Amino acid sequence: MIDHGVWVFIHVMLLVYWLGGDLGVFVLARAAKRPELEFAERAFALKMAVQIDLIPRLCFTVMFPIGLHVAASGGWLQVPAWAFAVSWVVAAGWIALLLAIGRNEGKPLAETLNRVHLGFQAAMLVVIGTLGVQALLGNGPLPGGWFGAKILLFALIFAMGIGIDFAFRPIGPAFIRLATEGSKPDIEAAIGSAVDGAIRYVLGLYTLLIVIAFLGVTKYF
């Protein structure tokens, strides 16, 4: 049996790598939209941003099952064995989907897998969000108060992820045009709009993670 402190340590480290990885993506994405840089430099920044983005996404996939272990070992929640199994199976399938998207980047299959990923995120937003709302209302299997608030805020991270994916989508075609046509006002506008739009959702994600961490540490209400 793994000690509660070990689960908490893993939980904290996931948060550290999630925020740290996203910060790297944030900086690189801003570099990719700078028109004064050479195309090769901007393309390299974008490539690195996409590659590093896998780290926070992987942290996201296992945060919920690890959180269940934290809650169960801390005595806040009675978690049946089947719930642990389901959470880890879903996390493993999610990881496999993300890796498949990465391996097929630029291929038609990647577009299909991205649509599957968006649908999965939307489903998780609804399912986990419903659990959070029910917990705050005093219904369902989860405790209310700070715990229910954490679950609801965690669900909203899926909304931020969907927003980031949609906002960033035009940058690929814009960079293809940049490579062949060079810098033009409309191309730079498309790149800037994609990066700025994604950053707004990233800042929302940061805010959610910080509030979730605060509630988990202070158990404020």
Side-chain angles (χ1 to χ4, degrees), residues 42-188:
R42 299 172 70 181
F44 179 75
L46 181 62
K47 179 181 177 181
M48 292 304 299
V50 171
Q51 291 180 351
I52 293 174
D53 186 52
L54 184 60
I55 296 172
R57 287 179 183 268
L58 291 176
C59 291
F60 190 14
T61 64
V62 296
M63 187 64 86
F64 192 82
I66 293 295
L68 284 182
H69 285 286
V70 171
S73 62
W76 299 302
L77 184 65
Q78 293 294 321
V79 182
W82 66 263
F84 283 126
V86 168
S87 68
W88 280 110
V89 168
V90 171
W94 191 0
I95 291 171
L97 177 59
L98 290 176
L99 294 177
I101 291 172
R103 284 196 302 269
N104 292 281
E105 189 67 37
K107 301 177 183 177
L109 178 59
E111 287 296 318
T112 301
L113 294 175
N114 273 315
R115 286 193 291 271
V116 172
H117 187 228
L118 286 171
F120 170 78
Q121 290 183 94
M124 295 301 288
L125 168 62
V126 172
V127 172
I128 297 179
T130 300
L131 287 173
V133 170
Q134 289 298 312
L136 288 173
L137 294 175
N139 304 317
L142 302 179
W146 65 271
F147 194 96
K150 277 190 67 176
I151 297 300
L152 179 57
L153 293 175
F154 184 81
L156 293 178
I157 294 176
F158 287 97
M160 297 300 104
I162 292 170
I164 290 169
D165 287 344
F166 271 110
F168 215 58
R169 185 171 291 182
I171 202 167
F175 256 80
I176 291 174
R177 287 190 60 201
L178 182 65
T180 56
E181 302 175 29
S183 181
K184 293 182 178 179
D186 63 319
I187 296 176
E188 298 296 347

